[in-house]
């Protein structure tokens, strides 16, 4: 029933089965995207509306990834996350340290990019992107881009539920409230008192860097590590050291008492490198690390 005169054909007809993959409405501009190209609709009347090519080799993968916040648009393309600034410039904001998130199969299922979901948290000034893990068909991971300082954080995951959508709703005071929706039909919000549920814990699992003392080709005797942490009411964290080459096997685990704040462990052995894994996965217990120190003595090169 739509009059043919009101239709505008976007070029490259037949080049993709998906056709138009997203629309960005920013100020007075209307950007129409296909998988590998962006067009801007210009004109003042029905007789002179036309599509002008805006960007080649950059398109929109997911319509739900498109978010416009403070006149700046964010969206997911094939090779990363892009933004259109207030002046209309288009830049990739994921190039650099997190480029492999979107250009390899190590982190996410790129075949599911078309189902990615984007949202902005106006309370923390962050752009969130919900994605599927490698080998998964559930959008149960998310990453976040800090709009203020341009840093990326993640990937994140919760074991409490399987996420399917992210958005903002209005609370009882008419203020924006960022929420995550689950496949079971429930809506979850962040809470200030604790970061995990009473039954399902967040699995705090962190690897330190490979310590080499500035001499990566020299054997060393690694001494007693000192761990500094926030004093908690209860809790035990598991520390697993690795000493040797970069492919060293895990050593005997160490139990760290989270109620002490400072704890000195046993000597961990001899090798060119030392690395530590910290893990805490008990529900309703907090864990916050401030730092670690370890002394060493050089033995020489083999």
């Amino acid at each position: 029933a739509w009059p043919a005169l009101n239709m505008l054909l976007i070029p490259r007809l037949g080049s993709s089965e998906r056709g138009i993959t997203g629309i960005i409405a920013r100020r007075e501009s209307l950007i129409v995207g296909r998988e590998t190209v962006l067009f801007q609709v210009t004109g003042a009347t029905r007789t002179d509306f036309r599509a002008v090519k805006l960007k080649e080799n950059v398109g929109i993968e997911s319509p739900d990834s498109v978010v416009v916040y403070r006149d700046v648009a964010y969206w997911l393309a094939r090779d990363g996350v892009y933004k259109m600034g207030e002046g209309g410039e288009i830049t990739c904001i994921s190039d650099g340290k997190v480029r492999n998130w979107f250009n390899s199969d190590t982190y996410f299922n790129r075949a599911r990019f078309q189902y990615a979901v984007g949202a902005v948290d106006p309370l923390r000034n962050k752009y969130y992107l919900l994605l599927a893990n490698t080998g998964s068909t559930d959008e149960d991971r998310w990453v976040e881009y800090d709009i203020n300082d341009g840093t990326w954080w993640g990937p994140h995951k919760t074991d409490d539920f399987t996420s399917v959508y992210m958005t903002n709703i209005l609370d009882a005071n008419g203020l924006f409230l960022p929420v995550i929706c689950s496949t079971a039909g429930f809506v979850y919000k962040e809470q200030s008192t604790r970061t995990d549920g009473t039954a399902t814990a967040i699995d705090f699992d962190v690897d330190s860097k490979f310590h080499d003392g500035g001499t990566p080709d020299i054997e060393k005797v690694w001494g007693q590590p000192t761990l500094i942490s926030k004093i908690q009411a209860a809790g035990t964290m598991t520390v697993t050291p690795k000493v040797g080459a970069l492919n060293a096997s895990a050593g005997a685990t160490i139990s760290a008492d989270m109620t002490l704040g400072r704890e000195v462990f046993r000597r961990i052995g001899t090798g060119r490198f030392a690395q530590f894994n910290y893990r805490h996965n008990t529900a309703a217990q907090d864990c916050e690390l401030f730092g670690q120190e370890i002394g060493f003595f050089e033995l020489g090169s083999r």
Side-chain angles (χ1 to χ4, degrees):
W2 190 266
L5 290 176
N6 289 346
M7 294 182 183
L8 182 65
L9 298 179
I10 301 300
R12 295 187 179 177
L13 301 180
S15 63
S16 169
E17 293 182 356
R18 295 182 60 196
I20 293 173
T21 54
I23 294 177
I24 303 172
R26 192 185 68 90
R27 289 182 178 172
E28 299 300 317
S29 301
L30 181 64
I31 313 300
V32 182
R34 296 173 73 97
E35 289 179 292
T36 58
V37 66
L38 296 173
F39 289 88
Q40 179 169 331
V41 176
T42 63
T45 65
R46 187 176 65 184
T47 58
D48 63 3
F49 277 134
R50 61 193 182 97
V52 178
K53 185 187 296 183
L54 198 62
K55 197 77 171 178
E56 187 75 51
N57 299 320
V58 174
I60 299 175
E61 274 296 297
S62 167
D64 284 332
S65 71
V66 177
V67 176
V68 178
Y69 179 62
R70 293 180 176 174
D71 294 328
V72 178
Y74 304 88
W75 73 91
L76 176 64
R78 280 185 174 179
D79 61 340
V81 177
Y82 284 77
K83 79 171 183 179
M84 176 180 286
E86 293 187 42
E89 68 282 359
I90 298 175
T91 56
C92 182
I93 59 175
S94 59
D95 274 350
K97 291 184 178 180
V98 300
R99 180 175 175 82
N100 280 343
W101 281 1
F102 308 99
N103 287 272
S104 72
D105 296 316
T106 304
Y107 300 93
F108 303 112
N109 184 351
R110 292 187 292 171
R112 299 277 306 176
F113 273 7
Q114 60 182 299
Y115 306 109
V117 178
V120 163
D121 181 351
L123 306 179
R124 297 176 178 83
N125 260 8
K126 292 186 177 182
Y127 170 74
Y128 293 97
L129 190 63
L130 195 63
L131 299 158
N133 190 38
T134 298
S136 172
T137 57
D138 294 321
E139 276 63 46
D140 59 358
R141 302 287 198 278
W142 71 91
V143 296
E144 56 187 79
Y145 173 74
D146 192 307
I147 296 174
N148 291 334
D149 60 23
T151 56
W152 283 93
W153 300 88
H156 305 300
K157 178 182 182 293
T158 176
D159 287 326
D160 220 20
F161 57 89
T162 300
S163 54
V164 69
Y165 204 79
M166 307 180 82
T167 188
N168 287 290
I169 62 176
L170 296 178
D171 63 13
N173 298 314
L175 303 175
F176 281 114
L177 179 67
V179 296
I180 302 179
C181 307
S182 77
T183 55
F186 293 95
V187 177
Y188 292 81
K189 68 180 181 69
E190 291 185 3
Q191 54 187 6
S192 58
T193 54
R194 184 169 296 286
T195 55
D196 55 10
T198 57
T200 305
I202 290 179
D203 193 351
F204 179 86
D205 191 347
V206 178
D207 288 324
S208 75
K209 72 173 186 177
F210 284 95
H211 299 279
D212 61 13
T215 54
D217 198 37
I218 294 182
E219 294 285 319
K220 308 169 188 69
V221 176
W222 297 94
Q224 294 179 271
T226 302
L227 184 69
I228 309 298
S229 63
K230 182 178 181 180
I231 297 177
Q232 308 290 353
T236 300
M237 183 178 64
T238 300
V239 181
T240 305
K242 292 181 181 179
V243 180
L246 294 176
N247 60 348
S249 301
T253 60
I254 302 169
S255 294
D257 190 342
M258 293 290 95
T259 67
L260 299 180
R262 179 183 183 273
E263 194 167 3
V264 181
F265 306 127
R266 58 173 170 80
R267 293 179 176 88
I268 62 170
T270 302
R272 290 187 293 129
F273 300 94
Q275 186 190 36
F276 299 88
N277 173 266
Y278 307 99
R279 189 172 187 191
H280 182 279
N281 60 347
T282 304
Q285 288 185 356
D286 289 327
C287 177
E288 186 173 347
L289 303 184
F290 294 146
Q292 157 203 295
E293 285 191 8
I294 180 170
F296 65 90
F297 296 96
E298 295 183 354
L299 293 177
S301 302
R302 288 184 178 177

